[in-house]
Amino acid sequence: MAATTGSGVKVPRNFRLLEELEEGQKGVGDGTVSWGLEDDEDMTLTRWTGMIIGPPRTIYENRIYSLKIECGPKYPEAPPFVRFVTKINMNGVNSSNGVVDPRAISVLAKWQNSYSIKVVLQELRRLMMSKENVKLPQPPEGQCYSN
Amino acid sequence: MAENGESSGPPRPSRGSAAAQGPASAPAEPKIIKVTVKTPKEKEEFAVPENSSVQQFKEAISKRFKSQTDQLVLIFAGKILKDQDTLIQHGIHDGLTVHLVIKSQNRPQGQSTQPTNAAGTNTTTASTPRSNSTPISTNSNPFGLGSLGGLAGLSSLGLSSTNFSELQNQMQQQLLSSPEMMIQIMENPFVQSMLSNPDLMRQLIMANPQMQQLIQRNPEISHLLNNPDIMRQTLEIARNPAMMQEMMRNQDLALSNLESIPGGYNALRRMYTDIQEPMLNAAQEQFGGNPFASVGSSSSSGEGTQPSRTENRDPLPNPWAPPPATQSSATTSTTTSSGSGSGTSSSSATGNTVAAANYVASIFSTPGMQSLLQQITENPQLIQNMLSAPYMRSMMQSLTQNPDLAAQMMLNSPVFTANPQLQEQMRPQLPAFLQQMQNPDTLSAMSNPRAMQALMQIQQGLQTLATEAPGLIPSFTPGVGVGVLGTAIGPVGPVTPIGPIGPIVPFTPIGPIGPIGPTGPAGPPGSTGSGAPPGPPVSSSAPSETTSPTSESGPNQQFIQQMVQALAGANPPQLPNPEVRFQQQLEQLNAMGFLNREANLQALIATGGDINAAIERLLGSQPS
């Protein structure tokens, strides 16, 4: 929160990530996305896991998509790397390894440092509901990318 | 000083682990933490010991959310919590939030229907129109089903329930959850031909006592059924799955619009309570409960009936397939919210006709048929149940009384399109067939598994014989076998929703066993000229334990053989020239004033000989 108030204030990376960690644990938001550290001992706060619950009335309905998010050293100035772990068929996601193409997803392409992991996850979920994605045939549930 | 006394002080309640008062418990006990469980729809707080396992947590949750533990998926900080983990392991402390997703159990294609239902028991009224729309659109189906005797339930897809109604339920569920199957069903030409006959549909529906009851209460429904235009339109739409989806969508939209009109919500509610509920409850006995019972009782019905993704083809927990067209009535209902009551009731009845059709058909085309037959042989009781089901009876009766109807149904079967002469021969035989169906001997024959097996063996034997030594056939007295088969297979007919058509159509699924090939020696005129008279009495005995063939008579046998022949001849079917086929219809169209023969022919071909539909096509627009 503090990161966005002053335009000139740059919040250090770790502070930001700790804030996001706390938000993830407290379940801020509407309950359709979740995120947290992949490894609680990870002091660098780099590797995160995310979860998106498929929106209703789409083909993703009621599936739970697991993602890996990597916040590099330049985060939040640079966008994180996002990768789906659960197989999904969606525009902007590489179908063989689940990597989310940063150029295809608007929040990643036009990243701002006020964005956060939550924003990324919510945006991906919103994209699931977009016309171009809402009916794409999906692989059977429960499959994961091999890497 | 004494006064100071021992204020025993505030009583020290030794709080058990059920205390939900925050961290005030004794140090020796595990700390109770308050965890919020959040679903997309709601959230609840739970007080659990800190060291409990995820499994225990789920148990507590399942009580509050009224689902089973194996339906619950817990997510914390982006990770799914496995049952054997503990809360501490994941770092779940006091005051944190865990996300919950409730899965449905029946998700063959990964689209769930229950979770929203379970999770959304107290939802906002905003979701009501959606949920009302689906009950409206879907409740009609139970009727359609009922009217056909729910025979569609018979293609049980290999379910092993011995209880007939369970079979039905399972069938419904499978059907519902499988859009591909729905598509398959709708595209089956048999369905389509069935659907194209409004009279048939109407009769079948009227034969259902529950429907009759409903009609008494709501005369609009009978208007609907009697209005050929609407029927035809409904059926037309039923035939076209894409259109169906479109209609469903429109209907949903219309209904949600309706809600926003002042007083609209009440109208919807009225609609539901007056019409759908009795319909659903009436159908309840067949379908194991009114899925919307809880919906109706709460003022804001559950999200559970939210139409699922894509084209609202799959209206969730309702037991029956989505009906096609209600669009015309839906539009009228939007315009006049007061008229909405009747509009939707008519629409639901319309849905009935189609739903009825939905179920009639594809039985044959589904792999379920095979397994059904297998089950039949294994479970004689099933057949007894089936045949004695009241709706079955009533259907049979209505068919017997109206031989034309039956004739028409049969004749529309693809088997016969190839062989018009056979059609002619079939016609007179129909009443005899129907009689046979109702013959209790037949029933007992069918329920005798050994008999069925014997018949199968005979069929197989004949087929082998046909391939090995075709020349041998005429001298062999296949009349026996075939006759026996014919009549005994006849009873297999009722397995399919259309009694009289039964004997014919099940030949197809019995495919591998069925095509006896040239064993029908007394071929219909024009096919094989072998012309060995069918007479052969049932002397040389097939190892038959059936009792029905005793009523075998010459004409019956001949008839059956011809059928078999037709079946053999029907693979592959060769269509005679469409002009010839539609000669009669062409003349009619001509007489009506459609002078363009080419166009007429095209239209007739496209509609498979249905004059009414062809006319619509020719006119180039849908009369509303």
Side-chain angles (χ1 to χ4, degrees), chain B residues 176-202:
Chain B
L176 279 186
S177 49
S178 160
E180 281 79 13
M181 191 164 143
M182 284 299 298
I183 294 180
Q184 205 181 10
I185 288 176
M186 294 313 295
E187 286 172 4
N188 182 346
F190 193 70
V191 185
Q192 306 228 345
S193 66
M194 172 91 177
L195 291 182
S196 59
N197 187 344
D199 287 334
L200 169 64
M201 302 307 308
R202 184 169 0 134

mmCIF file of all heavy atoms in Angstrom, chain B residues 176-202:
data_model
loop_
_atom_site.group_PDB
_atom_site.id
_atom_site.type_symbol
_atom_site.label_atom_id
_atom_site.label_comp_id
_atom_site.label_asym_id
_atom_site.label_seq_id
_atom_site.Cartn_x
_atom_site.Cartn_y
_atom_site.Cartn_z
ATOM 1 N N LEU B 176 -26.316 -35.095 -18.766
ATOM 2 C CA LEU B 176 -26.181 -33.676 -18.540
ATOM 3 C C LEU B 176 -24.751 -33.242 -18.542
ATOM 4 O O LEU B 176 -24.417 -32.172 -18.992
ATOM 5 C CB LEU B 176 -26.765 -33.318 -17.182
ATOM 6 C CG LEU B 176 -28.246 -33.195 -17.262
ATOM 7 C CD1 LEU B 176 -28.716 -32.696 -15.934
ATOM 8 C CD2 LEU B 176 -28.581 -32.195 -18.333
ATOM 9 N N SER B 177 -23.936 -34.049 -17.967
ATOM 10 C CA SER B 177 -22.582 -33.583 -17.813
ATOM 11 C C SER B 177 -21.784 -33.773 -19.077
ATOM 12 O O SER B 177 -20.619 -33.476 -19.125
ATOM 13 C CB SER B 177 -21.918 -34.324 -16.667
ATOM 14 O OG SER B 177 -22.149 -35.697 -16.844
ATOM 15 N N SER B 178 -22.427 -34.272 -20.058
ATOM 16 C CA SER B 178 -21.653 -34.541 -21.251
ATOM 17 C C SER B 178 -22.242 -33.817 -22.456
ATOM 18 O O SER B 178 -23.120 -34.348 -23.124
ATOM 19 C CB SER B 178 -21.643 -36.038 -21.517
ATOM 20 O OG SER B 178 -21.310 -36.282 -22.854
ATOM 21 N N PRO B 179 -21.749 -32.675 -22.732
ATOM 22 C CA PRO B 179 -22.311 -31.972 -23.887
ATOM 23 C C PRO B 179 -22.083 -32.699 -25.194
ATOM 24 O O PRO B 179 -22.890 -32.622 -26.096
ATOM 25 C CB PRO B 179 -21.607 -30.617 -23.885
ATOM 26 C CG PRO B 179 -20.482 -30.748 -22.950
ATOM 27 C CD PRO B 179 -20.742 -31.888 -22.056
ATOM 28 N N GLU B 180 -20.991 -33.422 -25.232
ATOM 29 C CA GLU B 180 -20.753 -34.140 -26.478
ATOM 30 C C GLU B 180 -21.845 -35.158 -26.706
ATOM 31 O O GLU B 180 -22.292 -35.378 -27.813
ATOM 32 C CB GLU B 180 -19.401 -34.875 -26.433
ATOM 33 C CG GLU B 180 -18.214 -33.995 -26.689
ATOM 34 C CD GLU B 180 -17.855 -33.196 -25.455
ATOM 35 O OE1 GLU B 180 -18.371 -33.517 -24.381
ATOM 36 O OE2 GLU B 180 -17.058 -32.259 -25.588
ATOM 37 N N MET B 181 -22.227 -35.733 -25.607
ATOM 38 C CA MET B 181 -23.254 -36.736 -25.771
ATOM 39 C C MET B 181 -24.551 -36.100 -26.226
ATOM 40 O O MET B 181 -25.268 -36.631 -27.066
ATOM 41 C CB MET B 181 -23.470 -37.438 -24.445
ATOM 42 C CG MET B 181 -24.321 -38.657 -24.602
ATOM 43 S SD MET B 181 -24.159 -39.640 -23.158
ATOM 44 C CE MET B 181 -25.808 -40.225 -23.047
ATOM 45 N N MET B 182 -24.821 -34.978 -25.667
ATOM 46 C CA MET B 182 -26.019 -34.272 -26.083
ATOM 47 C C MET B 182 -25.967 -33.997 -27.567
ATOM 48 O O MET B 182 -26.937 -34.195 -28.283
ATOM 49 C CB MET B 182 -26.119 -32.934 -25.353
ATOM 50 C CG MET B 182 -26.552 -33.058 -23.938
ATOM 51 S SD MET B 182 -28.160 -33.779 -23.828
ATOM 52 C CE MET B 182 -29.104 -32.578 -24.675
ATOM 53 N N ILE B 183 -24.826 -33.559 -27.984
ATOM 54 C CA ILE B 183 -24.693 -33.255 -29.409
ATOM 55 C C ILE B 183 -24.935 -34.516 -30.216
ATOM 56 O O ILE B 183 -25.655 -34.524 -31.208
ATOM 57 C CB ILE B 183 -23.290 -32.724 -29.707
ATOM 58 C CG1 ILE B 183 -23.097 -31.394 -29.019
ATOM 59 C CG2 ILE B 183 -23.109 -32.568 -31.201
ATOM 60 C CD1 ILE B 183 -21.752 -30.807 -29.272
ATOM 61 N N GLN B 184 -24.341 -35.556 -29.731
ATOM 62 C CA GLN B 184 -24.483 -36.817 -30.443
ATOM 63 C C GLN B 184 -25.947 -37.218 -30.551
ATOM 64 O O GLN B 184 -26.430 -37.643 -31.581
ATOM 65 C CB GLN B 184 -23.721 -37.879 -29.658
ATOM 66 C CG GLN B 184 -23.264 -39.022 -30.511
ATOM 67 C CD GLN B 184 -22.544 -40.032 -29.642
ATOM 68 O OE1 GLN B 184 -22.564 -39.934 -28.431
ATOM 69 N NE2 GLN B 184 -21.907 -40.986 -30.257
ATOM 70 N N ILE B 185 -26.581 -37.055 -29.440
ATOM 71 C CA ILE B 185 -27.990 -37.420 -29.431
ATOM 72 C C ILE B 185 -28.762 -36.589 -30.433
ATOM 73 O O ILE B 185 -29.545 -37.092 -31.216
ATOM 74 C CB ILE B 185 -28.559 -37.204 -28.020
ATOM 75 C CG1 ILE B 185 -28.027 -38.273 -27.100
ATOM 76 C CG2 ILE B 185 -30.069 -37.255 -28.067
ATOM 77 C CD1 ILE B 185 -28.467 -38.080 -25.701
ATOM 78 N N MET B 186 -28.517 -35.316 -30.375
ATOM 79 C CA MET B 186 -29.320 -34.463 -31.223
ATOM 80 C C MET B 186 -29.037 -34.707 -32.682
ATOM 81 O O MET B 186 -29.884 -34.453 -33.517
ATOM 82 C CB MET B 186 -29.049 -32.993 -30.899
ATOM 83 C CG MET B 186 -29.501 -32.600 -29.524
ATOM 84 S SD MET B 186 -31.131 -33.161 -29.181
ATOM 85 C CE MET B 186 -32.019 -32.225 -30.363
ATOM 86 N N GLU B 187 -27.851 -35.142 -32.966
ATOM 87 C CA GLU B 187 -27.566 -35.290 -34.379
ATOM 88 C C GLU B 187 -27.967 -36.638 -34.921
ATOM 89 O O GLU B 187 -27.845 -36.901 -36.096
ATOM 90 C CB GLU B 187 -26.078 -35.072 -34.626
ATOM 91 C CG GLU B 187 -25.748 -33.606 -34.506
ATOM 92 C CD GLU B 187 -24.280 -33.372 -34.556
ATOM 93 O OE1 GLU B 187 -23.548 -34.360 -34.764
ATOM 94 O OE2 GLU B 187 -23.878 -32.226 -34.384
ATOM 95 N N ASN B 188 -28.410 -37.449 -34.069
ATOM 96 C CA ASN B 188 -28.834 -38.752 -34.550
ATOM 97 C C ASN B 188 -30.043 -38.574 -35.468
ATOM 98 O O ASN B 188 -31.041 -37.994 -35.062
ATOM 99 C CB ASN B 188 -29.215 -39.598 -33.338
ATOM 100 C CG ASN B 188 -29.616 -40.980 -33.761
ATOM 101 O OD1 ASN B 188 -29.843 -41.230 -34.921
ATOM 102 N ND2 ASN B 188 -29.703 -41.851 -32.793
ATOM 103 N N PRO B 189 -29.962 -39.098 -36.649
ATOM 104 C CA PRO B 189 -31.068 -38.856 -37.580
ATOM 105 C C PRO B 189 -32.378 -39.410 -37.073
ATOM 106 O O PRO B 189 -33.448 -38.928 -37.413
ATOM 107 C CB PRO B 189 -30.637 -39.563 -38.866
ATOM 108 C CG PRO B 189 -29.495 -40.432 -38.492
ATOM 109 C CD PRO B 189 -28.890 -39.866 -37.275
ATOM 110 N N PHE B 190 -32.264 -40.402 -36.256
ATOM 111 C CA PHE B 190 -33.493 -40.938 -35.743
ATOM 112 C C PHE B 190 -34.192 -39.945 -34.851
ATOM 113 O O PHE B 190 -35.395 -39.755 -34.922
ATOM 114 C CB PHE B 190 -33.196 -42.221 -34.982
ATOM 115 C CG PHE B 190 -34.434 -42.959 -34.701
ATOM 116 C CD1 PHE B 190 -35.123 -43.556 -35.716
ATOM 117 C CD2 PHE B 190 -34.931 -43.008 -33.422
ATOM 118 C CE1 PHE B 190 -36.288 -44.223 -35.465
ATOM 119 C CE2 PHE B 190 -36.096 -43.688 -33.165
ATOM 120 C CZ PHE B 190 -36.775 -44.294 -34.191
ATOM 121 N N VAL B 191 -33.403 -39.332 -34.024
ATOM 122 C CA VAL B 191 -33.991 -38.288 -33.184
ATOM 123 C C VAL B 191 -34.638 -37.252 -34.045
ATOM 124 O O VAL B 191 -35.740 -36.783 -33.769
ATOM 125 C CB VAL B 191 -32.909 -37.560 -32.384
ATOM 126 C CG1 VAL B 191 -33.543 -36.576 -31.432
ATOM 127 C CG2 VAL B 191 -32.111 -38.557 -31.619
ATOM 128 N N GLN B 192 -33.910 -36.905 -35.039
ATOM 129 C CA GLN B 192 -34.394 -35.812 -35.853
ATOM 130 C C GLN B 192 -35.706 -36.188 -36.524
ATOM 131 O O GLN B 192 -36.624 -35.378 -36.599
ATOM 132 C CB GLN B 192 -33.349 -35.465 -36.910
ATOM 133 C CG GLN B 192 -32.011 -35.201 -36.254
ATOM 134 C CD GLN B 192 -31.386 -33.952 -36.735
ATOM 135 O OE1 GLN B 192 -31.802 -33.412 -37.744
ATOM 136 N NE2 GLN B 192 -30.395 -33.478 -36.039
ATOM 137 N N SER B 193 -35.755 -37.399 -36.967
ATOM 138 C CA SER B 193 -37.016 -37.753 -37.632
ATOM 139 C C SER B 193 -38.131 -37.815 -36.607
ATOM 140 O O SER B 193 -39.263 -37.450 -36.871
ATOM 141 C CB SER B 193 -36.873 -39.081 -38.360
ATOM 142 O OG SER B 193 -36.677 -40.112 -37.425
ATOM 143 N N MET B 194 -37.791 -38.251 -35.468
ATOM 144 C CA MET B 194 -38.788 -38.301 -34.419
ATOM 145 C C MET B 194 -39.256 -36.913 -34.089
ATOM 146 O O MET B 194 -40.432 -36.629 -33.917
ATOM 147 C CB MET B 194 -38.133 -38.935 -33.190
ATOM 148 C CG MET B 194 -38.980 -38.876 -31.988
ATOM 149 S SD MET B 194 -39.968 -40.316 -31.852
ATOM 150 C CE MET B 194 -40.725 -39.937 -30.323
ATOM 151 N N LEU B 195 -38.302 -36.056 -33.993
ATOM 152 C CA LEU B 195 -38.629 -34.698 -33.610
ATOM 153 C C LEU B 195 -39.452 -34.019 -34.665
ATOM 154 O O LEU B 195 -40.142 -33.046 -34.395
ATOM 155 C CB LEU B 195 -37.352 -33.890 -33.407
ATOM 156 C CG LEU B 195 -36.531 -34.294 -32.202
ATOM 157 C CD1 LEU B 195 -35.346 -33.376 -32.104
ATOM 158 C CD2 LEU B 195 -37.363 -34.161 -30.965
ATOM 159 N N SER B 196 -39.327 -34.507 -35.875
ATOM 160 C CA SER B 196 -40.020 -33.762 -36.913
ATOM 161 C C SER B 196 -41.480 -34.129 -36.988
ATOM 162 O O SER B 196 -42.205 -33.668 -37.835
ATOM 163 C CB SER B 196 -39.359 -33.997 -38.260
ATOM 164 O OG SER B 196 -39.402 -35.383 -38.535
ATOM 165 N N ASN B 197 -41.894 -34.951 -36.090
ATOM 166 C CA ASN B 197 -43.287 -35.341 -36.134
ATOM 167 C C ASN B 197 -44.015 -34.807 -34.913
ATOM 168 O O ASN B 197 -44.030 -35.433 -33.853
ATOM 169 C CB ASN B 197 -43.371 -36.867 -36.163
ATOM 170 C CG ASN B 197 -44.791 -37.316 -36.368
ATOM 171 O OD1 ASN B 197 -45.712 -36.516 -36.193
ATOM 172 N ND2 ASN B 197 -44.963 -38.554 -36.739
ATOM 173 N N PRO B 198 -44.614 -33.675 -35.087
ATOM 174 C CA PRO B 198 -45.232 -33.033 -33.911
ATOM 175 C C PRO B 198 -46.380 -33.840 -33.327
ATOM 176 O O PRO B 198 -46.598 -33.837 -32.126
ATOM 177 C CB PRO B 198 -45.728 -31.681 -34.437
ATOM 178 C CG PRO B 198 -45.450 -31.650 -35.886
ATOM 179 C CD PRO B 198 -44.745 -32.867 -36.292
ATOM 180 N N ASP B 199 -47.076 -34.530 -34.187
ATOM 181 C CA ASP B 199 -48.203 -35.292 -33.651
ATOM 182 C C ASP B 199 -47.726 -36.344 -32.682
ATOM 183 O O ASP B 199 -48.287 -36.542 -31.601
ATOM 184 C CB ASP B 199 -48.935 -35.994 -34.798
ATOM 185 C CG ASP B 199 -49.708 -34.979 -35.612
ATOM 186 O OD1 ASP B 199 -50.064 -33.937 -35.020
ATOM 187 O OD2 ASP B 199 -49.937 -35.205 -36.800
ATOM 188 N N LEU B 200 -46.702 -36.984 -33.107
ATOM 189 C CA LEU B 200 -46.158 -38.029 -32.267
ATOM 190 C C LEU B 200 -45.755 -37.474 -30.916
ATOM 191 O O LEU B 200 -46.089 -38.031 -29.862
ATOM 192 C CB LEU B 200 -44.936 -38.618 -32.976
ATOM 193 C CG LEU B 200 -44.101 -39.543 -32.121
ATOM 194 C CD1 LEU B 200 -44.923 -40.734 -31.759
ATOM 195 C CD2 LEU B 200 -42.875 -39.963 -32.885
ATOM 196 N N MET B 201 -45.031 -36.380 -30.980
ATOM 197 C CA MET B 201 -44.557 -35.801 -29.743
ATOM 198 C C MET B 201 -45.721 -35.454 -28.857
ATOM 199 O O MET B 201 -45.711 -35.725 -27.655
ATOM 200 C CB MET B 201 -43.768 -34.530 -30.036
ATOM 201 C CG MET B 201 -42.593 -34.729 -30.937
ATOM 202 S SD MET B 201 -41.528 -36.001 -30.366
ATOM 203 C CE MET B 201 -41.309 -35.457 -28.735
ATOM 204 N N ARG B 202 -46.691 -34.882 -29.442
ATOM 205 C CA ARG B 202 -47.803 -34.441 -28.624
ATOM 206 C C ARG B 202 -48.476 -35.611 -27.964
ATOM 207 O O ARG B 202 -48.797 -35.588 -26.782
ATOM 208 C CB ARG B 202 -48.804 -33.684 -29.496
ATOM 209 C CG ARG B 202 -49.898 -33.148 -28.627
ATOM 210 C CD ARG B 202 -50.772 -32.199 -29.335
ATOM 211 N NE ARG B 202 -50.360 -32.025 -30.704
ATOM 212 C CZ ARG B 202 -51.181 -32.031 -31.710
ATOM 213 N NH1 ARG B 202 -52.447 -32.200 -31.500
ATOM 214 N NH2 ARG B 202 -50.745 -31.860 -32.920
#
